[in-house]
Amino acid sequence: MKLTAALLLAPLALVAAAPKPSTHVSYDGYKAYRIATGQDAASIKSKLAKFAAVQFNNFDFNPNQELDVAIAPTEIPAFEALGLKADVVSQDLGAEIAQEGSLGSYEKVSAQAVPSLSWFNTYHAYNDHITFFNDLQAAYPQNSETFTIGRSVQGRNIFGIHLWGSSGKGSKPAVYFHGTVHAREWITTKVVEYIAYQLLVGYSNDTVVTAILNNYDFYILPVVNPDGFVYSQTTDRLWRKNRQTRSISSCVGTDINRNWPYKWELPGGASTNPCSQTYKGLAAGDTPEIRALVNLTQTLANGRGIKLYIDWHSYGQYILLPYGYNCQVRAANHARQTSLASSVAAAIRRPYGSRFTYGPSCSTLYATTGSSTDYVTDVARSELAWTVELRPTSSSGNGFVLPASQILPSSIEQWEGMKYLFATM
Ligand code: 0X9
Ligand code: ZN
């Protein structure tokens, strides 16, 4: 397959050191609630307008008619006085963030040695993810290459690893994964890294994995929103968007998963308010992160084509199929995608019993416009295009703040699901 200059395989360059930790936004004493909105979303929304609530899910378009919010300690009495039908899903978000564990340090033992699995015991800083991927690649130079697809708003590299098998680089259809589109969804970074790790470690050792890598070229990008990710580690653990500023507002950030140049213009699945968590930008594809991802997507589509795309998110434990923009439209191969998703959910469940719900994105979760899987299905013609929402479930409370002790179990169950999918799709 030909790779264009945009996807040139420059070794991962280290960007400037992460900014000095500035004052962290404190979530100490914040309570998280799940509000049953019912059909009353508009009036509840207006009641909540005076609160500095942190919104976890998409308020306007959730067919489950519920909304998760975090309320500041000083506002809890006023919030409770509203008398909304709401369950407390976290008693103290700050305490949960503390339990998540501090960022680990990373040190590889020797040149060309495979990095240790202990990488998956803690979360890590952005620069360590770059070093880890460079080290992993260096251990398997015959089957892998690192690449960068472009830079974020603040100039950080959006990097990935390309893996291939016996037919050589770029000769097979693409499996294309990316994580950390939403900055606070830290578990996604680790899970996609674990999949890359297992593919390389298993090649030539495990017959199933060897066959998988001989059949597909893998392109895996763990952190496609690096600025947001760094900001979520230095300043605000619950940051979601990128860090783009706009002259029309003092609010920062565009939701990368509302900025893809497909069905972007439709109303109802994103926000035009720059202060919203789902702000779509001023024009389709007007974020550098999406421009870089669109280039890569087109390069893969024009090469051997995309067999499988997964945009990894958290939380809720869902496998979401096309489409986000319309709750009635189905992919041409919807029946096959559904049956694969059902088997993948069964495989995920095997190690620890985790239940993943599957179905079309809009009707299962909520409407999204300018979102990844719709573009990758209709424009890039990927055979399978999914969004996976990782642990925890939406009723367990921790939300985006998943304890580090769950990194490995979460990764292992996804690896089981993916091994099944790669071998049967
Ligand atoms: O809202 C989103 O972007 C995703 N959920 S999250 O809580 N991680 O923010 C869901 C996107 C699903 N829709 C499509 N991929 N179409
Ligand atoms: Zn997300």
Side-chain angles (χ1 to χ4, degrees):
M1 179 180 100
K2 282 182 236 108
L3 291 169
T4 64
L7 177 60
L8 265 184
L9 306 162
L12 302 180
L14 289 173
V15 295
K20 278 214 174 73
S22 45
T23 327
H24 250 96
V25 174
S26 168
Y27 289 99
D28 290 350
Y30 271 63
K31 263 189 184 180
Y33 296 86
R34 170 149 312 126
I35 306 167
T37 59
Q39 302 302 327
D40 218 11
S43 85
I44 290 177
K45 189 178 181 183
S46 71
K47 283 183 192 151
L48 287 177
K50 64 177 170 146
F51 294 89
V54 182
Q55 187 185 312
F56 282 0
N57 57 24
N58 195 330
F59 186 47
D60 294 319
F61 318 111
N62 187 336
N64 297 330
Q65 298 165 341
E66 56 190 28
L67 168 68
D68 293 355
V69 286
I71 302 287
T74 50
E75 296 188 325
I76 289 170
F79 174 80
E80 292 194 338
L82 290 177
L84 299 176
K85 204 168 159 238
D87 294 328
V88 177
V89 290
S90 168
Q91 288 291 351
D92 185 342
L93 216 50
E96 275 178 5
I97 290 171
Q99 273 164 21
E100 188 178 35
S102 45
L103 298 184
S105 59
Y106 173 69
E107 240 171 274
K108 200 176 62 139
V109 268
S110 63
Q112 269 148 46
V114 181
S116 154
L117 259 182
S118 66
W119 171 256
F120 299 97
N121 291 343
T122 56
Y123 295 102
H124 286 87
Y126 167 74
N127 282 340
D128 284 342
H129 286 278
I130 295 177
T131 313
F132 171 80
F133 249 29
N134 279 335
D135 287 350
L136 183 62
Q137 189 282 325
Y140 298 97
Q142 310 304 323
N143 294 91
S144 67
E145 225 164 33
T146 53
F147 60 89
T148 51
I149 59 164
R151 286 170 182 254
S152 63
V153 175
Q154 296 171 340
R156 293 186 177 86
N157 280 340
I158 302 172
F159 64 91
I161 194 163
H162 174 190
L163 318 177
W164 61 84
S166 59
S167 305
K169 180 167 95 176
S171 56
K172 297 289 179 181
V175 174
Y176 168 22
F177 286 178
H178 57 72
T180 334
V181 170
H182 292 140
R184 59 195 176 187
E185 297 167 14
W186 293 1
I187 184 61
T188 66
T189 330
K190 288 285 173 173
V191 166
V192 301
E193 287 173 345
Y194 187 85
I195 292 166
Y197 185 94
Q198 288 301 339
L199 285 166
L200 283 174
V201 171
Y203 190 66
S204 303
N205 288 323
D206 176 309
T207 49
V208 174
V209 176
T210 305
I212 288 168
L213 207 50
N214 286 340
N215 282 338
Y216 300 105
D217 276 60
F218 287 79
Y219 302 83
I220 299 179
L221 300 93
V223 191
V224 296
N225 176 11
D227 299 347
F229 183 57
V230 168
Y231 192 74
S232 74
Q233 295 191 328
T234 58
T235 311
D236 182 350
R237 175 64 189 86
L238 295 180
W239 188 258
R240 167 182 169 100
K241 300 184 282 181
N242 77 356
R243 293 293 300 162
Q244 193 161 354
T245 54
R246 305 273 181 181
S247 58
I248 55 162
S249 171
S250 60
C251 286
V252 177
T254 300
D255 185 347
I256 295 175
N257 203 28
R258 300 295 183 278
N259 191 244
W260 286 82
Y262 184 66
K263 306 289 181 189
W264 178 91
E265 61 294 341
L266 295 183
S271 177
T272 53
N273 174 359
C275 302
S276 163
Q277 299 276 23
T278 56
Y279 178 52
K280 68 201 268 187
L282 288 169
D286 70 350
T287 56
E289 294 85 1
I290 283 297
R291 280 195 291 270
L293 284 169
V294 164
N295 270 340
L296 169 65
T297 309
Q298 285 310 326
T299 303
L300 300 180
N302 296 337
R304 303 285 165 158
I306 305 172
K307 177 80 180 183
L308 166 69
Y309 165 81
I310 298 182
D311 182 358
W312 294 85
H313 287 253
S314 67
Y315 58 94
Q317 299 187 187
Y318 293 102
I319 299 171
L320 301 170
L321 315 177
Y323 288 97
Y325 76 93
N326 181 306
C327 293
Q328 274 78 49
V329 182
R330 297 287 178 261
N333 63 351
H334 175 67
R336 179 167 150 71
Q337 296 213 44
T338 305
S339 105
L340 284 169
S342 152
S343 305
V344 169
I348 292 171
R349 198 169 155 190
R350 250 165 249 139
Y352 306 101
S354 303
R355 286 169 191 269
F356 276 65
T357 307
Y358 57 91
S361 171
C362 180
S363 49
T364 306
L365 197 58
Y366 45 67
T368 54
T369 52
S371 63
S372 58
T373 48
D374 296 359
Y375 180 94
V376 178
T377 300
D378 282 359
V379 183
R381 302 263 159 232
S382 179
E383 201 173 307
L384 308 167
W386 297 359
T387 302
V388 174
E389 299 276 358
L390 294 169
R391 290 186 184 195
T393 60
S394 34
S395 58
S396 67
N398 325 54
F400 308 105
V401 185
L402 191 68
S405 58
Q406 290 202 40
I407 297 171
L408 263 177
S410 183
S411 300
I412 289 166
E413 68 194 11
Q414 292 310 315
W415 173 237
E416 289 306 313
M418 288 303 114
K419 253 193 310 189
Y420 171 85
L421 182 60
F422 301 152
T424 52
M425 68 190 182

